[in-house]
Amino acid sequence: MKINLLLFSILIGVFFSSTVMAKPHSLVLPTQFPLKKIQITVSSQSNKENAERYQISINGNGNSYFIKNNQQQPLNVTNDTLIELLNDFYAVHFFEISDTFNVKKKVVLKDSQTVTTIVNKEPAIESKKVCVQLRYYKKCLSVIDNQPLGVSQIVNKIETLTRTTGN
């Protein structure tokens, strides 16, 4: 009887632990995570047919790379650089920013007495998608017209890493 109860407990534990692992991303930003579970990606996005597309992937496991014109080049990114980039993301409050900046709001004065807000969703012709994954937590946002500025500056810094390796 004790063995059956033990087996049942183990099976229930395995079932629930695999259920938890099946979630693709967590909504809770972790405060501690293994270095090898960090991934930062930047990719260009465009609706234009002949647009040049690229992807940069910086991984805590050491397998960082740059893909352009369907050619993958390795990137040498040190742990210190990776930590510096993460600190940059925290400094600009990346994890608290809205996911997209293609919604533009403008205040206008109507009939000289009423102020109204106009909300327009602008088509994202060209943008860059930035994602940071820490363990099972993942946050992505689109950078459009260099906005948000702080994240745009981090993207420029990451793009510079591809130039230092001769790409």
Side-chain angles (χ1 to χ4, degrees):
M1 180 70 176
K2 287 183 181 182
I3 292 176
N4 288 341
L5 184 57
L6 177 62
L7 286 174
F8 179 73
S9 298
I10 291 171
L11 288 174
I12 293 295
V14 168
F15 173 75
F16 283 117
S17 68
S18 65
T19 303
V20 170
M21 297 299 285
K23 290 195 303 188
H25 304 292
S26 170
L27 298 175
V28 179
L29 181 63
T31 57
Q32 223 175 356
F33 38 87
L35 181 66
K36 67 181 181 177
K37 295 290 185 175
I38 299 171
Q39 181 181 42
I40 300 171
T41 58
V42 175
S43 56
S44 61
Q45 300 177 319
S46 178
N47 296 341
K48 295 179 182 177
E49 189 174 317
N50 295 330
E52 194 171 85
R53 291 179 178 86
Y54 70 89
Q55 179 182 347
I56 302 167
S57 183
I58 300 173
N59 299 293
N61 65 8
N63 185 22
S64 299
Y65 57 87
F66 171 62
I67 298 174
K68 185 175 180 182
N69 300 326
N70 294 322
Q71 294 182 348
Q72 182 172 320
Q73 300 290 325
L75 279 179
N76 184 17
V77 179
T78 65
N79 290 344
D80 289 341
T81 300
L82 178 60
I83 298 303
E84 179 182 327
L85 288 170
L86 275 180
N87 279 317
D88 290 344
F89 281 108
Y90 279 105
V92 299
H93 302 280
F94 174 82
F95 301 101
E96 301 157 26
I97 298 174
S98 174
D99 292 346
T100 184
F101 273 74
N102 65 338
V103 175
K104 301 292 182 184
K105 296 179 181 179
K106 182 168 94 174
V107 176
V108 295
L109 181 61
K110 289 176 63 177
D111 70 25
S112 298
Q113 295 180 1
T114 307
V115 176
T116 187
T117 304
I118 299 172
V119 179
N120 292 322
K121 185 170 183 176
E122 298 179 358
I125 295 172
E126 291 191 26
S127 65
K128 296 176 183 178
K129 184 176 182 180
V130 182
C131 297
V132 177
Q133 184 166 346
L134 310 172
R135 190 181 280 172
Y136 296 112
Y137 174 88
K138 186 173 184 179
K139 163 77 175 180
C140 296
L141 68 84
S142 294
V143 175
I144 300 170
D145 293 332
N146 294 321
Q147 295 299 319
L149 183 59
V151 178
S152 177
Q153 291 170 336
I154 297 170
V155 168
N156 292 339
K157 187 175 187 176
I158 292 171
E159 289 173 338
T160 301
L161 294 174
T162 65
R163 292 183 212 113
T164 59
T165 59
N167 296 315

